Amino acid sequence: MFGWKGKMLRIDLSRRNCSVEETPSDLIRDYMGGRGAGLKILFDEIDPMTDPLGPENKLIFATGPLVGTGVPAGGRYIVVSKSPLSGAIANPCCGGYFGPNLKFAGYDLLIIEGKSSEPVYLFIRNDVVEIRPAGQLWGKWATETERLIRSEMSEDFDEWELNNMSIVTIGPAGENLVKFACIMSDGGRAAGRSGLGAVMGSKNLKGLVVSGTGEVKIADVGGFKKAVMDFFEEGRANETLEKRRRWGTWSLPGRANKTGTQAALNFQSGYFEPFTKFEDPDFIRDSIRVRDEACFGCPFACSKRSRIEDLAYPGTTKGPEHESMALLGSNCGIGDLDDIYRANYLCNELGMDTISAGAIISCAMELFEKGYLPEKDIGYPLGFGSNEAMFQLMRKIALREDFGDLLAEGGNALARKYGHPELFMGIKGMGMPAWHPQGVEVIGLQYATNNVGGCHTKATLPFYEGRKDPERHVELTKQDQDYIAVVDSSVLCWIIYHGPLWGEKLLSWLQITTGIDYTENDLSLIGERIWNLERIFNLKAGLSKKDDRLPKRITDEPRVKNQVVHLDRMLPEYYKLRGWDENGIPTPEKLQQLGLEKEGAGI
Amino acid sequence: MRIKIDHLKCTGCKLCEVVCSLQHTEAVNLWRSRIRVFIKEDYCLPVIAGPYTEAMCNSKDVVLVEGKEIDGCVVCRASCPAKSIFKEPDTAIPLKCDFCGDPPDPQCVAWCDADALTICD
């Protein structure tokens, strides 16, 4: 089999056993892999109404046919589960070396079910699977956990194999079931949104170690080598990718701020004066960068490892990326780069999603400044820009101490408790990311209709021709959502493969690697099928049209460029184009077209 | 001909390992690659397989790279009984870089988009 490995590994933590199954061929045909295949398995095996933090919820680590093949930027993995934060489907993706290692170990997917009675971590080396005790690791921060696991392994393996293995962990936030805890891997990378770190924590699963020594086959090796060489040249000629190579996402905060589309002060503004210094992205690069850190197989190495001179923050971490800089920085009124680094470092080490953490803390800051949240409840003042208070609060959230316990429940819980639910800038309970939708209206539609909630990764920001034409917003949104669903199922990196030209590229990689004669039509059908099945999952999980909305601030109060997002106009059009009825429920005709009659029965 | 390694330019993408295994085995298997990249926090270290040595060293050295101590076995190019890499996984036959045939055309250099690997005479 080319591309896929054709096997999936299932581990039951309750019964402490595991089994290897064949990856069903119809699963591959209809859902490709990654996000799609994980979704279909989750949909078939759990009740969408199940408690996300209960033992019935499953956690699926999924790779796709292009992972580990050396297709440039094909080194990612997707985690699929039900989100404790939104109650909806969750499918965060993450780079690094874990996905390829899982493939080299021989598996397309890893399904984790049940709940261990005591803290454990998993060790997988090809066909050896061990459940090992993790009591000694419980409570440890993310990279410390990685270091301790490696030192435990050092008795059995030499330096090279220790270096080769990839480790996934959760920090204290995941252990304490913070609803926006994330899954960390490879020293600071995160499968960030949706709170799946808490799902791992609920299963008493502290980490996963994977070392793969096997192979991945490619159908047309000669064609593949040539295509990669060509790709290097195309990359060199592409201005956007060259920016990524030098600055990663650090070129964005200054630019977004300059154009007034940067989330600032809990989305009260699109501009934050201290961020003007980031208009020269070399300022960030020269201040904190240690080295460019590629994911497996990526020539662009857009992620940057960084460090500051502060003994209280030893070692290095990854980022902060643009989204973290916006939510932990401008959105919380913090403009000092070192402070943003510290906040990002704490999130990475405690194992919390930087975007959600920033969104929730900025909400608390606004509640405090407006006088709705009394200082005695927090214990210290928490106005915009209070850096030390924020760092302290982050630790308290992760440990669920004092006021942090409430924040750990998510932004809606906080804002409701103090009587102002409209002040939490979230969608489906998940905080909105960096780009202010009032700056670019189509982003508003993308956020509102996103199956996972307020997340920027499931439709790319509008790089398409026609982005300024409101008439085309709905069409472009649907098209891109379906396209990214295939990118996430292949699994390629959406950060590199976005924009109008990349569809052809994805198609040719799939053809060369798998030897299957995919057509553009096949891919768009797979993408649309995934998007609709996610929708069905959400409907069955109790979500509905009322969850496809933006915070009132975005639709009613013009904060940026004197504009609001006209979601009322776009949403019915979007439903219609999707083939859904006026309540956002897929019609029988649409279900039939996608072969989802059985799955969609009874919605 | 030699391959010059500038480890500070290496990003750790491992495409050199990918293409080396493709060149020699027609499949992607990093354990069959004649070049391996060791990834540290501050830098990455590509190491190219040299000749096989039948005996292990009797002294374990520590070397300094960028001011930090690192196990000498890591930077040593030899394939030896003490190491897991540079051996054919199934048969344990030692692997050695052959510059991708005659005339030499090392694929790892061609695939190093970061220019960490270059040819020098």
Side-chain angles (χ1 to χ4, degrees):
Chain A
M1 197 172 210
F2 299 112
W4 295 273
K5 291 300 293 181
K7 293 265 189 300
M8 39 193 214
L9 177 64
R10 185 185 294 273
I11 297 174
D12 186 336
L13 293 173
S14 299
R15 295 196 199 119
R16 296 177 71 89
N17 65 10
C18 73
S19 58
V20 177
E21 298 163 20
E22 283 198 9
T23 314
S25 58
D26 53 348
L27 183 71
I28 287 172
R29 187 193 63 214
D30 297 341
Y31 294 93
M32 185 80 71
R35 174 173 153 195
L39 164 73
K40 173 68 174 152
I41 292 173
L42 191 79
F43 186 90
D44 286 347
E45 297 186 6
I46 77 165
D47 172 5
M49 290 298 281
T50 198
D51 171 11
L53 298 179
E56 295 80 24
N57 195 10
K58 300 192 180 186
L59 197 60
I60 301 170
F61 291 81
T63 74
L66 301 185
V67 175
T69 56
V71 169
R76 290 173 87 83
Y77 67 95
I78 304 264
V79 195
V80 186
S81 187
K82 179 177 171 174
S83 163
L85 184 62
S86 61
I89 187 77
N91 46 30
C93 58
C94 180
Y97 305 101
F98 180 80
N101 256 312
L102 194 58
K103 280 286 278 290
F104 297 141
Y107 310 106
D108 294 320
L109 293 111
L110 167 62
I111 305 161
I112 295 171
E113 49 193 45
K115 176 185 177 174
S116 169
S117 55
E118 49 172 41
V120 291
Y121 72 93
L122 294 172
F123 172 74
I124 299 166
R125 187 181 193 272
N126 305 338
D127 46 7
V128 175
V129 179
E130 289 175 25
I131 299 178
R132 300 187 173 200
Q136 73 287 10
L137 303 171
W138 210 248
K140 296 283 189 285
W141 289 18
T143 44
E144 174 73 355
T145 307
E146 270 195 47
R147 197 186 60 75
L148 289 170
I149 290 180
R150 278 212 166 82
S151 85
E152 255 178 57
M153 297 277 166
S154 64
E155 285 184 13
D156 300 325
F157 300 104
D158 68 4
E159 283 280 326
W160 274 102
E161 178 136 15
L162 289 174
N163 194 259
N164 189 69
M165 52 182 63
S166 186
I167 303 180
V168 164
T169 60
I170 53 169
E175 297 168 11
N176 293 317
L177 313 185
V178 174
K179 293 209 167 153
F180 47 91
C182 52
I183 296 177
M184 304 299 301
S185 55
D186 295 320
R189 294 181 183 277
R193 310 307 309 277
S194 300
L196 298 192
V199 176
M200 250 174 99
S202 74
K203 298 189 177 307
N204 270 328
L205 180 60
K206 178 68 175 169
L208 284 161
V209 187
V210 177
S211 180
T213 69
E215 67 181 18
V216 173
K217 287 197 175 107
I218 291 168
D220 175 8
V221 173
F224 179 77
K225 281 190 190 162
K226 185 174 176 306
V228 174
M229 294 290 283
D230 292 346
F231 188 86
F232 290 147
E233 269 183 37
E234 285 169 47
R236 289 279 176 201
N238 184 319
E239 201 192 329
T240 310
L241 292 178
E242 282 304 284
K243 279 190 198 162
R244 285 282 181 275
R245 198 193 298 267
R246 181 162 177 83
W247 297 299
T249 54
W250 288 343
S251 62
L252 300 174
R255 202 182 84 199
N257 200 45
K258 199 175 174 184
T259 54
T261 48
Q262 177 85 351
L265 308 176
N266 202 24
F267 287 83
Q268 293 183 82
S269 168
Y271 177 78
F272 185 60
E273 204 278 325
F275 267 42
T276 47
K277 61 177 173 286
F278 300 142
E279 280 172 29
D280 174 15
D282 272 332
F283 170 74
I284 310 175
R285 189 179 153 98
D286 297 342
S287 305
I288 58 174
R289 173 183 163 276
V290 175
R291 71 174 178 93
D292 300 347
E293 189 177 67
C295 295
F296 180 90
C298 182
F300 303 108
C302 76
S303 76
K304 313 294 175 203
R305 187 153 284 280
S306 51
R307 167 188 287 137
I308 58 169
E309 298 300 327
D310 183 345
L311 290 176
Y313 295 81
T316 60
T317 196
K318 209 185 80 58
E321 299 287 344
H322 166 53
E323 305 289 335
S324 315
M325 292 187 70
L327 272 293
L328 297 170
S330 52
N331 210 37
C332 290
I334 289 178
D336 181 57
L337 182 59
D338 283 5
D339 279 342
I340 296 172
Y341 174 93
R342 291 183 181 102
N344 178 63
Y345 181 99
L346 284 174
C347 280
N348 285 351
E349 290 295 341
L350 296 165
M352 295 194 292
D353 170 23
T354 54
I355 302 178
S356 298
I360 288 161
I361 292 172
S362 63
C363 170
M365 285 172 166
E366 188 175 350
L367 286 167
F368 175 82
E369 287 210 341
K370 297 227 157 115
Y372 305 138
L373 168 58
E375 188 181 320
K376 68 172 171 43
D377 285 16
I378 320 170
Y380 35 82
L382 188 71
F384 283 109
S386 11
N387 47 6
E388 291 300 333
M390 176 169 160
F391 304 149
Q392 198 176 340
L393 193 52
M394 284 179 160
R395 291 167 192 259
K396 291 202 180 281
I397 293 172
L399 300 174
R400 280 191 176 264
E401 283 172 0
D402 311 330
F403 185 58
D405 190 35
L406 174 64
L407 269 63
E409 285 298 307
N412 277 342
L414 168 76
R416 276 193 201 119
K417 167 147 188 210
Y418 291 99
H420 290 275
E422 77 284 357
L423 291 187
F424 175 59
M425 297 298 118
I427 298 153
K428 301 184 175 76
M430 193 193 282
M432 276 197 295
W435 296 87
H436 201 304
Q438 287 173 348
V440 195
E441 198 180 18
V442 63
I443 294 177
L445 179 66
Q446 293 175 353
Y447 289 171
T449 57
N450 194 326
N451 287 325
V452 300
C455 174
H456 59 292
T457 66
K458 304 304 171 197
T460 50
L461 299 170
F463 291 97
Y464 292 85
E465 278 301 310
R467 65 186 181 278
K468 293 201 172 119
D469 178 4
E471 294 295 312
R472 298 196 56 204
H473 283 177
V474 172
E475 168 206 335
L476 288 175
T477 297
K478 173 188 179 290
Q479 177 191 317
D480 209 44
Q481 286 172 337
D482 293 350
Y483 164 66
I484 294 292
V486 184
V487 171
D488 280 351
S489 301
S490 298
V491 175
L492 286 183
C493 174
W494 68 273
I495 297 162
I496 302 298
Y497 288 84
H498 68 210
L501 294 174
W502 293 98
E504 291 170 31
K505 206 83 211 165
L506 170 67
L507 187 65
S508 84
W509 286 129
L510 281 167
Q511 289 167 341
I512 293 172
T513 308
T514 65
I516 298 173
D517 233 349
Y518 283 110
T519 64
E520 233 168 272
N521 194 34
D522 296 336
L523 299 192
S524 61
L525 201 63
I526 290 175
E528 197 174 0
R529 184 179 295 122
I530 294 168
W531 194 266
N532 277 270
L533 187 59
E534 287 174 351
R535 179 75 181 181
I536 296 169
F537 182 95
N538 282 357
L539 292 168
K540 290 193 168 182
L543 281 79
S544 65
K545 183 185 178 180
K546 69 175 179 4
D547 297 293
D548 294 342
R549 58 176 192 82
L550 293 165
K552 201 157 145 255
R553 177 164 288 165
I554 307 298
T555 50
D556 292 20
E557 305 168 17
R559 297 279 181 168
V560 171
K561 298 179 182 172
N562 209 22
Q563 289 178 157
V564 295
V565 175
H566 300 94
L567 190 64
D568 293 349
R569 173 181 64 76
M570 293 188 286
L571 199 60
E573 266 184 64
Y574 173 84
Y575 283 172
K576 200 170 155 213
L577 189 72
R578 276 254 170 240
W580 299 351
D581 69 11
E582 67 275 16
N583 290 317
I585 295 169
T587 56
E589 296 76 44
K590 184 46 89 180
L591 294 176
Q592 193 190 6
Q593 184 204 341
L594 299 171
L596 290 173
E597 298 99 322
K598 190 162 66 71
E599 289 80 358
I603 49 172
Chain B
M1 177 194 262
R2 286 183 302 153
I3 296 169
K4 186 175 164 217
I5 299 170
D6 182 346
H7 67 277
L8 291 179
K9 282 188 181 164
C10 179
T11 63
C13 75
K14 294 185 175 237
L15 280 171
C16 52
E17 298 183 26
V18 169
V19 74
C20 182
S21 64
L22 274 176
Q23 178 78 9
H24 293 92
T25 73
E26 294 282 304
V28 181
N29 182 343
L30 308 189
W31 288 77
R32 293 193 162 120
S33 169
R34 280 90 171 139
I35 180 167
R36 297 295 298 273
V37 181
F38 194 82
I39 292 167
K40 297 283 283 181
E41 210 171 358
D42 291 48
Y43 55 83
C44 303
L45 271 181
V47 181
I48 297 170
Y52 175 69
T53 138
E54 280 181 12
M56 287 156 57
C57 305
N58 49 18
S59 64
K60 263 235 170 198
D61 275 344
V62 169
V63 291
L64 278 180
V65 184
E66 303 305 314
K68 296 221 172 123
E69 288 187 352
I70 179 169
D71 186 341
C73 280
V74 166
V75 287
C76 173
R77 294 181 53 209
S79 157
C80 86
K83 258 191 195 169
S84 64
I85 62 159
F86 300 149
K87 285 190 195 87
E88 171 62 42
D90 298 335
T91 58
I93 294 172
L95 304 173
K96 180 171 174 292
C97 171
D98 61 358
F99 288 77
C100 294
D102 193 21
D105 179 22
Q107 292 298 297
C108 53
V109 176
W111 276 43
C112 186
D113 207 33
D115 291 334
L117 305 176
T118 45
I119 300 273
C120 68
D121 291 317

